[in-house]
């Protein structure tokens, strides 16, 4: 529990940096220095928060049973605070990584087909499939829905990566979609997993999860 609480503190710091910095590149002139600088800060903040979310998810799955004792259905707890948190962490990292990569390799998509980026997208797909399956098994459609969102997003990314021809400016749309997706997944995690700690009786309210 002490390790978990320590991870929560660092996770909140990294996530807060990402949540605040996220709005600067949206408001700033696209391509300008503030857009690039704060965009990177937001991405790195969310990547850090996503990695810590994965660690916390694993602790929730294999650690203390004292986590949120008001939830008596421990299998459902494992689904929402274990497998879905793990998946949302992978999804946030996947979006941030791809969003940065489309700009870095905007003239040549060949590196995006390499192991470095394909492993990240594969991790999102695998975690999404398991999240969806687990949600179906425990009868919670929310897990299935969020898993479907990630799977569709990864298919769209792979179509861009592997298609033979791409117009010169097509990467801009990919960059925009990925980083907006990054923000949505981060705000979803914040509202549903973080903020919900204040109102645990609303933990299964789909309206809270759907707002982002």
């Amino acid at each position: 529990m002490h390790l978990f609480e320590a991870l929560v503190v660092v996770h909140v710091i990294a996530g807060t940096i990402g949540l605040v910095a996220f709005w600067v590149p949206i408001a700033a002139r696209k391509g300008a220095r503030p857009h690039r600088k704060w965009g990177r800060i937001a991405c790195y903040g969310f990547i850090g928060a996503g990695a810590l979310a994965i660690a916390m998810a694993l602790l929730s799955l294999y650690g203390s049973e004292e986590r949120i004792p008001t939830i008596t259905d421990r299998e459902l707890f494992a689904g929402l605070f274990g497998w879905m948190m793990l998946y949302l962490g992978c999804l946030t990292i996947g979006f941030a990584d791809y969003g940065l990569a489309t700009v870095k390799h905007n003239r040549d998509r060949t590196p995006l087909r390499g192991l470095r980026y394909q492993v990240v997208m594969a991790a999102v797909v695998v975690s999404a499939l398991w999240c969806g399956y687990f949600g179906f098994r425990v009868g919670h459609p929310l897990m299935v829905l969020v898993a479907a969102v990630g799977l569709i997003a990864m298919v769209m990314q792979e179509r861009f990566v592997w298609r033979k021809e791409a117009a010169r400016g097509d990467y801009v749309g990919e960059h925009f979609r990925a980083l907006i997706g990054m923000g949505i997944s981060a705000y979803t995690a914040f509202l549903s997993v973080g903020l919900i700690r204040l109102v645990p009786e609303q933990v299964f309210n789909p309206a809270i999860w759907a707002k982002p």
Side-chain angles (χ1 to χ4, degrees):
M1 286 297 292
H2 292 302
L3 174 60
F4 188 91
E5 293 301 328
L7 291 176
V8 168
V9 172
V10 184
H11 171 77
V12 168
I13 293 172
T16 300
I17 292 171
L19 292 170
V20 173
F22 175 73
W23 295 100
V24 178
I26 290 179
R29 183 168 63 86
K30 304 304 176 276
R33 184 178 178 183
H35 174 88
R36 300 194 305 271
K37 175 183 176 181
W38 287 97
R40 284 194 294 268
I41 291 173
C43 287
Y44 296 150
F46 283 143
I47 288 172
L52 290 164
I54 292 171
M56 290 188 294
L58 293 173
L59 283 177
S60 293
L61 287 166
Y62 302 111
S64 174
E65 290 292 322
E66 299 173 10
R67 290 260 294 118
I68 316 184
T70 54
I71 301 176
T72 56
D73 187 337
R74 302 315 290 179
E75 188 174 36
L76 189 56
F77 172 86
L80 291 175
F81 291 92
W83 296 117
M84 190 161 75
M85 181 186 285
L86 186 149
Y87 157 66
L88 286 173
C90 289
L91 182 63
T92 303
I93 293 171
F95 275 141
D97 188 55
Y98 180 74
L100 292 173
T102 52
V103 173
K104 181 178 180 180
H105 304 294
N106 67 86
R107 296 181 182 275
D108 180 14
R109 289 171 293 133
T110 303
L112 299 178
R113 300 168 183 169
L115 189 63
R116 156 70 180 80
Y117 294 107
Q118 289 299 311
V119 165
V120 176
M121 287 188 270
V124 176
V125 170
V126 171
S127 61
L129 288 171
W130 180 252
C131 175
Y133 165 74
F134 199 93
F136 178 79
R137 195 179 80 185
V138 299
H140 205 288
L142 182 64
M143 293 181 66
V144 180
L145 179 61
V146 296
V149 171
L151 290 171
I152 292 170
M154 292 304 107
V155 168
M156 294 173 68
Q157 290 182 184
E158 290 286 22
R159 284 183 61 187
F160 173 76
V161 169
W162 291 97
R163 75 187 191 207
K164 291 182 179 180
E165 300 293 336
R168 185 174 181 180
D170 283 356
Y171 78 93
V172 176
E174 293 294 303
H175 171 75
F176 178 81
R177 180 179 55 75
L179 296 189
I180 289 295
M182 173 191 74
I184 291 173
S185 63
Y187 271 92
T188 299
F190 169 69
L191 287 174
S192 57
V193 181
L195 190 61
I196 206 65
R197 289 162 65 93
L198 301 177
V199 281
E201 66 277 5
Q202 295 294 320
V203 67
F204 302 132
N205 186 343
I208 293 178
W209 295 78
K211 280 187 183 299

